[in-house]
Amino acid sequence: MKIIHNVADLPRNLTGSVGFVPTMGAFHEGHLALMRRAKAENDHCVVSLFVNPKQFGANEDFGRYPRDLTADAAMAEAAGADFLFAPTREDVYPTDLVDVVVRGVTDRWEGAHRPGHFAGVATVVLKLFNLVRPDLAYFGQKDLQQCQVIRQMVDGLNVPVRLVIHPTIRDADGLAMSSRNRYLSEEHRAKAPLLYASLTEAANAIRSGSSVASEEESGRSKLEQAGFLVEYFAAVSLPGMDPLIDLPGKESTSAIIVAAKIGTTRLIDNVSL
Ligand code: AMP
């Protein structure tokens, strides 16, 4: 695996398809699953590692976000990455005068709770697409709204890449893997699986005919009783991320999404309905 720090050193004229996995590092099995799949489905696997300052709010964890290039490089190589692109901030943002703004799908949920977050995500992902020029790009369903935002960007700007969404990888107790899980104290880590448990419980109840509103309410209150600060617990229709009133027909897709803080750690998760 080749580690690349400068845009000028990115490979050009590779023969065969390029599968691309954009990341912010602190790798876990979720990232590695995307890399293995990108490698299996393409001739070349390019992984980017860039903690993108533009997608963090002023009071968020940019400064303390886990960074360990040596450990990450070893894991990416073992997962089959051919290139690890870890650019500097100056290389990615020699100027910062252009933003990619996706409207509509960003209005609620993460978009509402993290103002500017999705403009930061869309901007860096489009820049990375233009630098890496992948045929296929791999994203995790764990960040469901992010997937919809990138889909809208790709469709809306005719970006020549195919998106692949990979299912969420979880710890044995159901907790969705996340780089932020390492912030959790032992006590909070023990409570964290309740997020996924409450999502699956609500999804099952809605599928069995219970009302969306009552399951949203009981999911939220179960989490609050356990000490979570719930930002949202909501059923949404896809791809627009609009609030879901009733379980739609089989032809439409929907999900239940949650964002909650336990202590100072903010976690998100979702399950398909
Ligand atoms: P991040 O480094 O958190 O920006 O994540 C990089 C990519 O990995 C994104 O497409 C995420 O959605 C994906 N990802 C993160 N956690 C998981 C997980 N537990 N399962 C599957 N994909 C994930």
Side-chain angles (χ1 to χ4, degrees):
M1 186 187 73
K2 192 169 173 209
I3 301 179
I4 298 167
H5 292 294
N6 300 107
V7 166
D9 297 328
L10 279 167
R12 291 285 167 237
N13 308 319
L14 290 173
T15 44
S17 67
V18 172
F20 176 45
V21 183
T23 81
M24 299 203 303
F27 294 152
H28 50 66
E29 276 300 317
H31 298 114
L32 303 181
L34 299 185
M35 294 176 205
R36 286 189 205 106
R37 182 164 175 188
K39 180 63 178 178
E41 296 179 353
N42 297 276
D43 298 296
H44 309 278
C45 170
V46 179
V47 175
S48 68
L49 193 173
F50 179 62
V51 184
N52 174 34
K54 229 175 149 59
Q55 72 186 69
F56 287 80
N59 300 316
E60 294 183 359
D61 55 347
F62 176 72
R64 68 167 181 144
Y65 199 83
R67 291 164 172 91
D68 187 345
L69 181 63
T70 309
D72 281 348
M75 290 166 88
E77 179 159 36
D82 299 297
F83 300 93
L84 181 64
F85 176 45
T88 62
R89 184 175 181 155
E90 292 67 33
D91 225 10
V92 176
Y93 297 112
T95 61
D96 184 9
L97 302 168
V98 182
D99 282 345
V100 178
V101 174
V102 176
R103 288 189 294 276
V105 71
T106 57
D107 286 348
R108 300 175 208 266
W109 324 121
E110 292 303 282
H113 286 273
R114 304 183 66 186
H117 170 65
F118 283 128
V121 169
T123 302
V124 83
V125 170
L126 184 60
K127 285 169 76 73
L128 291 167
F129 282 174
N130 288 333
L131 292 169
V132 173
R133 305 179 202 171
D135 298 284
L136 280 78
Y138 294 79
F139 293 88
Q141 192 191 324
K142 150 111 195 320
D143 298 284
L144 180 68
Q145 191 173 10
Q146 170 172 283
C147 292
Q148 311 309 320
V149 171
I150 292 164
R151 159 77 54 216
Q152 289 285 332
M153 176 188 79
V154 162
D155 290 351
L157 298 177
N158 307 92
V159 183
V161 64
R162 270 173 51 208
L163 301 181
V164 180
I165 309 303
H166 194 76
T168 304
I169 307 298
R170 302 178 178 282
D171 280 336
D173 60 11
L175 177 63
M177 291 193 182
S178 164
S179 304
R180 291 187 168 100
N181 290 354
R182 61 182 78 185
Y183 299 153
L184 293 167
S185 68
E186 205 174 314
E187 180 204 344
H188 291 154
R189 175 63 189 79
K191 283 185 178 171
L194 194 60
L195 273 185
Y196 180 57
S198 61
L199 286 172
T200 44
E201 201 175 315
N204 288 334
I206 291 169
R207 284 190 207 104
S208 316
S210 182
S211 85
V212 166
S214 73
E215 293 309 320
E216 286 174 343
E217 184 46 43
S218 82
R220 172 185 282 270
S221 78
K222 253 177 260 161
L223 288 169
E224 284 173 351
Q225 275 161 33
F228 288 84
L229 186 72
V230 181
E231 293 185 0
Y232 57 79
F233 187 103
V236 299
S237 61
L238 300 175
M241 303 294 299
D242 297 311
L244 187 74
I245 309 301
D246 284 311
L247 189 61
K250 281 208 168 56
E251 67 286 354
S252 345
T253 52
S254 53
I256 310 184
I257 59 175
V258 67
K261 271 190 185 154
I262 180 93
T264 54
T265 307
R266 185 177 185 277
L267 300 173
I268 61 170
D269 199 356
N270 68 88
V271 300
S272 299
L273 255 178

